[in-house]
Amino acid sequence: MLKVSCNVLSDQSQAITQCGFLGRGPILTRGHRRNAVVLRSGSGSSYKGPILAVVSDRVIGSGTGSGSGSLADRLRLGSLTDDGLSYKERFIVRCYEVGINKTATVETIANLLQEVGCNHAQSVGFSTDGFATTPTMRKLHLIWVTARMHIEIYKYPAWSDVIEIETWCQGEGRIGTRRDWILKDHATGQVIGRATSKWVMMNQDTRRLQKVSDDVRDEYLVYCPREPRLAIPEENSSSLRRIPKLEDPADHSKLGLVPRRADLDMNQHVNNVTYIGWVLESLPQEIIDSHELQTITLDYRRECQHDDIVDSLTSVEPVEDAELVSKIQGTNGSTAATENNEDLRQFLHLLRVSGDGLEINRGRTEWRKKHAR
Amino acid sequence: MVATAATSAFIPVPSPSAPDPGSKPKKLANLGGMKPKSISSGGLQVKANAQAPPKINGSSVSLTTPVETVKHEGEMSSSSSSSSSSPPPRTFINTLPDWSMLLAAITTIFLAAEKQWMMLDWKPRRPDMDMLIDPFGLGRIVQDGFVFRQNFSIRSYEIGADRTASIETLMNHLQETALNHVKTAGLLGDGFGSTPEMCKKNLIWVVARMQVVVDRYPTWGDVVQVDTSVGASGKNGMRRNWLVRDYKTGEILTRASSVWVMMNKKTRKLSKIPGEVRGEIEPYFLDSDPVVEEDSRKLQKLDDNTADYVRTGLAPRWSDLDVNQHVNNVKYIGWILESAPLPILESHELAAMTLEYRRECGKDSVLQSLTAVSSNGVGNLASHADIECQHLLRLEDGAEIVRGRTVWRPKYAKNFGTFDQLPAEST
């Protein structure tokens, strides 16, 4: 299971914002965390309740003035939404984030999801040294780690497109929390992707999982929607499907993958997003050339260190007819396809440690045929 | 390696007035200057089709109508003055909410005043103003049209192990500004930095040499301002310079310079710059002092005997490739550093780097990275002086991809974050 690697806030800002979100008064945050995005977002309506008052003060901001607030806060293109329960940010796709399809790579998308998650956490005052650890968690040396990540992309953005990502988190049963994202093309407002992720709590020192206690839950639930809000509400969504372990021998493989220095976060663990790249490595070239990734689901099982060597295995997963009918939309109704359907391909994946075969990740990917842009 | 970075090398931006009396007088159209009346709101510069074509030596140089390639914050302005053939802008600001009208009015007022401030190399920071003009940080032409400027906010995933932006992040930003410069000036023929005339002749820019000096690395949440410009390099080359500043303080963080040559993409042979291309790009050349002191020492070729550290089995991943399925330039730097010894990486930070690009590689290449510590002694890696290393990136069969030299300076007080970084000792 992996941590998202984010940077810590400075100690000072942490102290201030911690007081802030415990509801001790907006004055501590005034002049410290301002958000000039108010110029564009138009948010800044009034709030109710002490804790939300802190949020409002941050969002309203105060135009020009001395630069005691973080400059990036003021220039940041993201902000909490009016009700303070989710966070929206805009990103431009940069040229080096674009891949062989002239569109943003799935790793770029995953990086942006991570970035907006970190920014959300920071904007509500959580530390972002692991992932949004609350003060209680920090005291108990608890961190969030990713258990499952599911990303669906309907339309990949191209260079210099602006995408708007909205994210929010909520509790998930007793053991975890989930974070959801919706991605939109800022120009058209069209939804171009959705994602959801599940996180569990782990003790940083013992590396053992732990149940979410009520104090921790209360600390962050304030910032979560009251009613369950799912980015992917469909009940038959593949984000909920179990991922079986693929059988030996795999159809395709790429062995001997090694973490690069750039893949490591500050704690020398391999960054979440690197796994996505590794999963894709064992796909045959003809799939990469003819199809584009529509959905990827990853179950994180074990963390990977900088000196591990990783094998990536891929096998075709037959698409059942029932699923196929629901997936193929807008076709001329040819639903008699089985695993030979060329428009939609599905694969199971496994990442394991090269020597002892210990499982690192399992995954499933769905691919749709590329169309000329 | 050619790829996107290669062709995005240059991008001249014409200017209405010569930057200094000593430079040769050029009668140029005001491609980059402020033209408040042609911009309805928020849009800055780069209304190439709104100007007369520049004249070089009396002959008129035609500019492509770059409307469809001009994507900048003033998208709303493009709809007012664009030519009829532009496809609907793909990006933002097509459907702004109503407050944009107010924004437009406010911005127009500021633009006239902004014109004066543009002349200065550095001015007091007015970030809110910048947000009005360049809300998405797409960049704009400044300084009489010769310089392209873009801001970047350092994202969390761009941070390296020591909590500062990695050298790859910095290089990525340089690449992005180069390409945006080309695009904003209206000279993007094919999306990779080749001008229209170059595309017709199957010519591409190839980076030959790159020098980067980092004075201080930014950290997450910092905003950097990257200025880039181009000039001639010899008779048939082009030089692109970058200057990276801390947006808030104006402090110079990074200086970089690169040399580009022209190559025929079919024959893979180097080419002289044809007259038509010269006509397109020379108006944009800026005669300026070098931003980086030229490191003209010959880079040595390492081999298994002279290298101290070797890392083999480096393979490109899908995400390393550009649209031509060549490995992006910037990835080489990461591979070069793969064989840098860990003690150096832990106690020192990369202060300067010189790279010579020799060959490109693709997805199926398997590379080896070699490093030799060329000064300060192998046994003394944790000392408090600068360390210099030589590097080689090559294919398994020995074909050279990149030669390099790096200089490392000790990190100071790294536990306290970057703000306590002391400047490198000057030699």
Side-chain angles (χ1 to χ4, degrees):
Chain A
M1 322 230 189
L2 264 297
K3 306 191 287 287
V4 171
S5 55
C6 300
N7 223 355
V8 292
L9 297 173
S10 68
D11 287 344
Q12 187 185 12
S13 72
Q14 263 182 24
I16 291 176
T17 51
Q18 281 168 38
C19 293
F21 77 72
L22 287 175
R24 256 187 260 295
I27 296 168
L28 290 170
T29 59
R30 190 185 299 280
H32 175 76
R33 299 184 66 82
R34 276 167 298 167
N35 204 325
V37 176
V38 69
L39 290 173
R40 277 177 306 290
S41 67
S43 57
S45 54
S46 62
Y47 302 86
K48 314 223 169 16
I51 293 174
L52 294 179
V54 169
V55 166
S56 78
D57 184 60
R58 182 177 301 118
V59 170
I60 288 174
S62 57
T64 59
S66 71
S68 62
S70 148
L71 188 65
D73 284 348
R74 290 157 65 197
L75 296 178
R76 182 158 287 138
L77 296 162
S79 66
L80 289 166
T81 50
D82 287 355
D83 55 13
L85 300 177
S86 66
Y87 183 86
K88 271 188 194 169
E89 186 163 351
R90 292 173 204 148
F91 300 92
I92 309 170
V93 176
R94 297 175 181 162
C95 69
Y96 54 88
E97 296 174 327
V98 161
I100 57 176
N101 294 332
K102 303 191 186 183
T103 54
T105 60
V106 62
E107 285 100 327
T108 298
I109 304 282
N111 275 328
L112 293 177
L113 298 183
Q114 174 176 315
E115 170 78 358
V116 73
C118 279
N119 289 339
H120 182 198
Q122 191 196 31
S123 74
V124 299
F126 292 136
S127 158
T128 53
D129 54 356
F131 177 79
T133 50
T134 68
T136 307
M137 287 174 71
R138 270 197 295 286
K139 223 169 28 181
L140 302 173
H141 287 205
L142 298 171
I143 50 175
W144 293 114
V145 290
T146 323
R148 171 175 275 219
M149 184 75 173
H150 174 92
I151 304 175
E152 293 178 11
I153 303 172
Y154 313 119
K155 181 163 173 290
Y156 282 86
W159 173 39
S160 76
D161 281 354
V162 177
I163 52 181
E164 182 183 270
I165 306 181
E166 184 184 359
T167 184
W168 65 94
C169 57
Q170 53 205 326
E172 172 103 339
R174 279 231 53 96
I175 55 160
T177 184
R178 66 184 286 158
R179 178 174 281 285
D180 285 38
W181 296 265
I182 293 187
L183 296 85
K184 285 185 184 164
D185 180 340
H186 181 72
T188 64
Q190 180 195 11
V191 172
I192 59 170
R194 295 181 295 173
T196 178
S197 60
K198 192 165 129 183
W199 302 73
V200 294
M201 216 159 64
M202 180 170 89
N203 185 300
Q204 200 169 14
D205 307 317
T206 68
R207 318 305 290 182
R208 293 178 76 86
L209 297 185
Q210 210 149 318
K211 270 212 196 144
V212 181
S213 67
D214 285 335
D215 349 335
V216 171
R217 184 183 301 280
D218 291 341
E219 277 173 324
Y220 71 79
L221 275 188
V222 176
Y223 297 101
C224 306
R226 305 287 180 265
E227 297 300 316
R229 181 186 172 198
L230 304 176
I232 308 177
E234 299 92 81
E235 282 173 7
N236 61 347
S237 156
S238 55
S239 67
L240 303 169
R241 278 179 68 200
R242 189 186 149 266
I243 302 178
K245 186 168 179 179
L246 57 76
E247 291 165 10
D248 256 333
D251 294 334
H252 312 280
S253 65
K254 181 90 184 240
L255 310 178
L257 298 166
V258 268
R260 299 173 185 168
R261 298 232 167 94
D263 298 328
L264 304 176
D265 64 22
M266 292 174 308
N267 301 310
Q268 305 296 312
H269 291 126
V270 172
N271 184 303
N272 273 351
V273 176
T274 305
Y275 296 110
I276 297 177
W278 281 342
V279 158
L280 299 182
E281 278 300 302
S282 57
L283 277 154
Q285 174 105 25
E286 52 273 14
I287 298 293
I288 305 277
D289 287 339
S290 60
H291 288 66
E292 64 179 11
L293 182 64
Q294 173 164 285
T295 304
I296 178 166
T297 314
L298 283 182
D299 277 343
Y300 294 85
R301 304 254 160 162
R302 190 175 269 101
E303 351 182 53
C304 185
Q305 317 270 16
H306 66 280
D307 49 5
D308 284 330
I309 301 177
V310 174
D311 292 340
S312 170
L313 307 172
T314 292
S315 284
V316 177
E317 186 183 36
V319 183
E320 287 152 26
D321 286 346
E323 285 169 53
L324 202 59
V325 170
S326 69
K327 282 188 208 313
I328 299 181
Q329 295 152 12
T331 64
N332 57 6
S334 52
T335 57
T338 57
E339 54 247 50
N340 288 329
N341 183 291
E342 283 304 307
D343 282 353
L344 202 71
R345 302 294 302 271
Q346 196 166 294
F347 297 90
L348 285 178
H349 304 276
L350 182 69
L351 290 181
R352 65 178 184 207
V353 180
S354 205
D356 48 23
L358 289 174
E359 202 182 314
I360 299 172
N361 274 2
R362 292 188 188 179
R364 173 186 284 118
T365 52
E366 294 166 22
W367 299 74
R368 61 170 176 264
K369 202 145 175 79
K370 279 187 210 177
H371 295 109
R373 282 176 75 91
Chain B
M1 78 173 163
V2 171
T4 58
T7 45
S8 67
F10 85 107
I11 276 304
V13 177
S15 148
S17 58
D20 64 73
S23 68
K24 48 186 181 306
K26 298 178 181 134
K27 182 158 188 306
L28 302 166
N30 183 8
L31 270 185
M34 300 290 307
K35 278 284 200 184
K37 68 178 188 291
S38 75
I39 304 166
S40 60
S41 61
L44 256 206
Q45 294 91 354
V46 195
K47 276 288 100 192
N49 60 334
Q51 321 294 344
K55 284 187 178 305
I56 306 299
N57 296 331
S59 62
S60 138
V61 176
S62 67
L63 296 163
T64 55
T65 311
V67 174
E68 63 273 17
T69 63
V70 175
K71 284 185 203 150
H72 61 102
E73 61 281 3
E75 200 67 21
M76 48 189 136
S77 62
S78 78
S79 59
S80 64
S81 56
S82 63
S83 69
S84 55
S85 62
S86 62
R90 297 192 66 238
T91 55
F92 54 107
I93 314 201
N94 245 345
T95 52
L96 283 169
D98 289 338
W99 53 262
S100 69
M101 304 305 283
L102 181 60
L103 181 63
I106 297 171
T107 310
T108 311
I109 298 169
F110 280 118
L111 283 178
E114 177 74 4
K115 181 176 175 154
Q116 302 304 317
W117 295 318
M118 285 307 198
M119 301 306 169
L120 298 176
D121 191 42
W122 179 255
K123 57 187 189 292
R125 279 295 96 205
R126 286 154 53 250
D128 301 323
M129 174 59 157
D130 280 341
M131 294 319 293
L132 289 178
I133 292 170
D134 186 10
F136 293 108
L138 274 183
R140 57 215 169 97
I141 309 286
V142 299
Q143 223 172 304
D144 300 333
F146 284 106
V147 175
F148 180 81
R149 171 173 296 166
Q150 186 171 359
N151 298 332
F152 294 90
S153 152
I154 307 294
R155 296 177 181 164
S156 64
Y157 57 87
E158 298 177 320
I159 302 296
D162 50 5
R163 302 181 183 203
T164 55
S166 61
I167 182 71
E168 285 125 323
T169 297
L170 301 187
M171 302 288 294
N172 277 331
H173 293 163
L174 303 188
Q175 184 180 83
E176 174 77 354
T177 45
L179 209 53
N180 280 331
H181 187 188
V182 182
K183 190 167 75 155
T184 308
L187 279 157
L188 201 62
D190 62 357
F192 314 129
S194 287
T195 66
E197 283 297 326
M198 287 171 69
C199 290
K200 283 190 214 163
K201 299 180 191 315
N202 287 320
L203 294 172
I204 51 176
W205 288 113
V206 177
V207 61
R209 200 175 163 90
M210 179 83 169
Q211 252 185 277
V212 182
V213 175
V214 183
D215 298 319
R216 176 169 82 73
Y217 286 87
T219 185
W220 181 38
D222 281 352
V223 178
V224 300
Q225 178 185 82
V226 182
D227 284 352
T228 184
S229 62
V230 286
S233 173
K235 280 181 68 69
N236 282 301
M238 189 175 65
R239 175 177 292 276
R240 176 174 281 282
N241 295 320
W242 293 270
L243 200 61
V244 182
R245 291 193 167 102
D246 181 313
Y247 181 77
K248 189 162 63 172
T249 67
E251 174 202 359
I252 292 179
L253 302 178
T254 300
R255 291 166 287 135
S257 177
S258 56
V259 175
W260 301 77
V261 295
M262 202 165 268
M263 181 168 88
N264 184 306
K265 72 176 171 192
K266 298 247 156 71
T267 67
R268 315 308 287 183
K269 284 183 148 35
L270 294 183
S271 155
K272 290 200 205 295
I273 302 182
E276 297 91 328
V277 176
R278 221 178 261 287
E280 282 176 317
I281 65 177
E282 266 180 359
Y284 298 86
F285 283 1
L286 175 65
D287 269 332
S288 65
D289 294 327
V291 295
V292 176
E293 209 177 286
E294 181 82 35
D295 177 11
S296 49
R297 291 175 291 167
K298 197 158 148 26
L299 293 183
Q300 292 162 343
K301 180 173 178 175
L302 297 179
D303 58 34
D304 293 300
N305 296 323
T306 52
D308 299 316
Y309 307 90
V310 179
R311 175 81 186 254
T312 57
L314 299 168
R317 300 175 190 162
W318 289 116
S319 58
D320 297 330
L321 306 179
D322 61 29
V323 294
N324 295 319
Q325 303 218 10
H326 292 135
V327 174
N328 184 307
N329 274 344
V330 175
K331 299 292 176 178
Y332 294 128
I333 295 160
W335 284 330
I336 284 171
L337 298 182
E338 281 292 316
S339 65
L342 205 50
I344 293 185
L345 293 174
E346 285 172 347
S347 61
H348 288 64
E349 63 177 18
L350 185 62
M353 179 170 64
T354 304
L355 297 173
E356 265 174 27
Y357 291 87
R358 305 249 159 171
R359 205 178 256 99
E360 55 202 351
C361 69
K363 179 73 170 66
D364 297 325
S365 311
V366 182
L367 294 100
Q368 301 177 335
S369 171
L370 289 78
T371 293
V373 182
S374 59
S375 76
N376 211 44
V378 174
N380 206 9
L381 293 176
S383 80
H384 294 297
D386 285 3
I387 298 175
E388 190 177 276
C389 296
Q390 305 275 350
H391 303 275
L392 178 68
L393 199 61
R394 68 180 184 200
L395 298 177
E396 284 183 325
D397 62 11
E400 275 185 71
I401 307 288
V402 183
R403 278 190 204 182
R405 175 190 296 119
T406 52
V407 176
W408 303 76
R409 66 168 167 257
K411 293 181 198 174
Y412 289 107
K414 61 181 164 145
N415 292 328
F416 295 99
T418 56
F419 295 112
D420 291 320
Q421 289 276 352
L422 299 178
E425 292 171 334
S426 55
T427 49

